[in-house]
Amino acid sequence: MALTEQPGGYTLKGLVIPIYAPAFLSYLAQGLTTSFVVLYALQLGAGPGAAGVIAALQHLGTLFFDIPAGRFTERFNLKRVYMFSTLFLGIFLFLIWFLDSLPFLIILLIGFGAARTSWSISQVTVVRRLVDPGLRGRALANMGGLVRAGSFLGPVMGGYIADILSLGALFLSAAVCTFISTALILLRTPETEEQNGAPPVFRRIPETFRRYSRILLSAGTGVVILGVLRSARPVLLPLYGESLGLSLGQIGLVMGLSGLADSLLFYPAGIIYDRCGIMRGGVLCLGLFSLGLILLPLSGGFISFALVSVFIGIGNGFGSGINMAMSAILAPDGEVGEFMGIWRLFTDAGVFSGPLAVGLITAALSLAAAPFALGALGLAGALYFQYSVHESNEKP
């Protein structure tokens, strides 16, 4: 069955092999490494504040490549964009392991982020073309569930791999996962036709923004705040674990348990999106997430640190797949790539700012000040979702 068929040609079960299997391997690869990038930077000689800034660089690459990546999904063969983006993820991960150097880590993280945004946008576009609009919320929440599964299994496996082998070995393991994912996309993901005759990107992007500026600015502000909190978590929690004297295995286990709490809520999140609207999921997600961050400085050992981390995971779980669902549901037909590229620009501005904020606040004040500041921002974001963001089925 070709990707160019009308929406509704695939059931949720029909997405398992062509979409969910390669996506899970890529999310597992990211789960293996995301929570340990900041600790790897520490090992290579960076201080805690600098390590947070370095961790933000992968999101800088993502931010710079958002608009071109969105356009690639419209102009070129979708399967090839998806496949080569996944391949480049693996290449950058392999080089991080092979070169084992702080300057090269900085450069390669930027490249990894650029590849990841192309991979993410092409993946969401594939799902959007395959399923009926009435199933998109659940289909994309399921994809969010795979993110959470990767964020559970990846850190747990990664912590013990790092204890037994090294932190660098995590990046080699992640590269192998993405290479297998690339092979699955090549062999099992259906082909799509190239999009021809479209106006140049620099003309269509401004036009798309002008037509949909209201929803992009209102909903986009909310997801910027959510992006700040989400990207701060895999930097803030490992730094806290390290400050408490926990081993890499213990830190990985705690991050995994937090990810498990995420993954258990992906299906209820999808039901909330489809039946009640995405806004309610956003309010619940940000409110609980922010409360957990405010409680984090009160943790003084493994048990309390684990409990607070799981609570943060529960809050984040109510936002499972929320960015993908909002972008896919709100994206206009014929301008999906452009809209998603602009949308990713908003979300990745927040994602870039999270680790950067942790690093700068830690360097200027203290590690304990960072979760208080981010928690206050998140509570403000919950109020913004409540009163300023349209329901998911209301296009302006």
Side-chain angles (χ1 to χ4, degrees):
M1 185 175 293
L3 292 186
T4 52
E5 293 191 15
Q6 294 299 315
Y10 273 72
T11 63
L12 297 181
K13 185 182 293 186
L15 297 176
V16 171
I17 299 301
I19 301 299
Y20 289 154
F24 171 72
L25 287 169
S26 295
Y27 287 130
L28 179 62
Q30 293 176 54
L32 282 168
T33 57
T34 299
S35 299
F36 297 99
V37 167
V38 65
L39 299 181
Y40 190 49
L42 288 176
Q43 178 180 286
L44 294 177
V53 175
I54 290 170
L57 292 177
Q58 59 186 306
H59 307 300
L60 180 64
T62 299
L63 188 64
F64 282 153
F65 205 64
D66 275 326
I67 299 299
R71 192 64 188 129
F72 287 165
T73 64
E74 288 293 308
R75 289 190 63 86
F76 301 111
N77 181 285
L78 185 55
K79 176 179 176 177
R80 292 179 186 175
V81 174
Y82 186 30
M83 180 178 67
F84 280 106
S85 299
T86 308
L87 176 63
F88 275 102
L89 288 176
I91 290 172
F92 284 118
L93 289 167
F94 175 81
L95 290 175
I96 289 173
W97 165 77
F98 183 75
L99 296 174
D100 193 34
S101 162
L102 188 60
F104 281 114
L105 175 65
I106 291 170
I107 296 169
L108 292 169
L109 283 175
I110 295 173
F112 178 81
R116 185 171 59 186
T117 193
S118 179
W119 165 80
S120 178
I121 291 174
S122 59
Q123 178 178 257
V124 174
T125 305
V126 169
V127 176
R128 188 181 188 276
R129 294 186 184 182
L130 283 176
V131 299
D132 185 85
L135 288 177
R136 283 178 188 164
R138 274 163 282 186
L140 291 162
N142 288 347
M143 192 72 76
L146 295 180
V147 178
R148 272 62 184 185
S151 67
F152 163 60
L153 294 174
V156 174
M157 295 169 59
Y160 288 106
I161 290 172
D163 269 343
I164 296 170
L165 299 175
S166 67
L167 278 168
L170 295 177
F171 295 92
L172 177 61
S173 303
V176 171
C177 289
T178 55
F179 291 145
I180 296 172
S181 177
T182 302
L184 281 174
I185 295 169
L186 174 65
L187 297 173
R188 302 305 300 269
T189 300
E191 285 282 357
T192 183
E193 295 180 356
E194 294 187 14
Q195 305 293 317
N196 297 316
V201 60
F202 294 111
R203 188 174 68 186
R204 291 195 62 177
I205 291 291
E207 290 175 357
T208 301
F209 181 79
R210 282 195 297 270
R211 277 194 291 270
Y212 297 93
S213 60
R214 181 182 172 190
I215 190 62
L216 285 166
L217 291 173
S218 62
T221 300
V223 298
V224 164
I225 296 173
L226 181 57
V228 170
L229 268 60
R230 284 180 160 173
S231 62
R233 181 172 70 153
V235 174
L236 192 58
L237 294 185
L239 284 176
Y240 249 95
E242 194 270 341
S243 72
L244 293 174
L246 304 183
S247 69
L248 292 173
Q250 289 176 314
I251 292 172
L253 178 60
V254 169
M255 295 298 294
L257 290 173
S258 184
L260 177 62
D262 281 357
S263 64
L264 293 176
L265 291 168
F266 75 93
Y267 195 76
I271 294 175
I272 291 173
Y273 301 162
D274 285 335
R275 296 184 179 178
C276 304
I278 293 177
M279 180 270 290
R280 287 178 174 80
V283 172
L284 188 59
C285 170
L286 279 169
L288 295 178
F289 201 135
S290 301
L291 180 58
L293 287 174
I294 292 170
L295 293 173
L296 182 61
L298 302 179
S299 60
F302 175 76
I303 298 299
S304 57
F305 176 63
L307 289 174
V308 172
S309 298
V310 168
F311 186 83
I312 291 173
I314 291 171
N316 194 37
F318 281 108
S320 177
I322 190 169
N323 288 339
M324 290 186 288
M326 290 180 76
S327 63
I329 290 169
L330 296 172
D333 293 333
E335 298 175 273
V336 175
E338 289 88 346
F339 186 93
M340 287 188 175
I342 299 169
W343 184 265
R344 286 286 307 210
L345 194 63
F346 276 86
T347 60
D348 290 331
V351 169
F352 167 66
S353 301
L356 186 64
V358 172
L360 294 178
I361 294 171
T362 299
L365 299 174
S366 67
L367 183 60
F372 280 120
L374 293 171
L377 175 66
L379 291 176
L383 292 174
Y384 185 85
F385 258 107
Q386 176 68 41
Y387 296 109
S388 301
V389 179
H390 289 280
E391 292 290 346
S392 61
N393 61 347
E394 294 181 2
K395 285 190 182 183

